[in-house]
Amino acid sequence: AELNKLSKKERAKAMDDVHCVGEELKEIPEMIEQSLKEFDQAVRQVRTPIYEMAVNQNRAFVEDPSFRLRFLRCNFYDVHRSVRQMMDFLKV
């Protein structure tokens, strides 16, 4: 009902927001490197027993930059949110 009151462009933007698409983030190597460093620091602060278990089972996987980048990209490089999401993922 409320969506019908919006213009076609506004409606498309609202749907993109709901589905987390539309806004493109320009990645540069320096931003990726800095975000991964901050991610590592944040992980060290919140190490959980689940994380420790995952590291003991497969350190290379858990500490792989491409694995961590998935969480950073999903959260538009919000480091703390990304770390929380990774910790939740490891619980499963």
Side-chain angles (χ1 to χ4, degrees):
E2 289 294 317
L3 281 177
N4 292 333
K5 296 177 184 175
L6 300 174
S7 71
K8 186 175 180 179
K9 187 175 182 178
E10 291 171 325
R11 199 169 30 247
K13 169 83 171 93
M15 294 306 289
D16 285 349
D17 289 346
V18 167
H19 297 289
C20 300
V21 296
E23 301 236 357
E24 190 173 320
L25 183 64
K26 303 291 185 212
E27 291 182 343
I28 58 172
E30 295 82 10
M31 180 184 76
I32 294 171
E33 183 180 341
Q34 181 63 33
S35 295
L36 286 169
K37 284 180 185 176
E38 290 174 18
F39 190 100
D40 189 54
Q41 291 170 348
V43 165
R44 288 183 205 176
Q45 293 175 355
V46 296
R47 291 176 88 101
T48 64
I50 296 293
Y51 177 80
E52 294 299 329
M53 186 185 323
V55 167
N56 289 333
Q57 290 178 359
N58 193 341
R59 177 180 296 272
F61 175 74
V62 175
E63 294 180 351
D64 185 343
S66 63
F67 173 68
R68 292 177 171 198
L69 265 174
R70 292 176 186 172
F71 298 100
L72 286 165
R73 287 177 173 147
C74 180
N75 293 293
F76 294 96
Y77 285 83
D78 181 325
V79 172
H80 295 288
R81 188 171 175 189
S82 300
V83 169
R84 259 193 325 269
Q85 186 180 27
M86 184 185 78
M87 295 300 179
D88 290 342
F89 173 82
L90 293 174
K91 289 178 186 176
V92 177

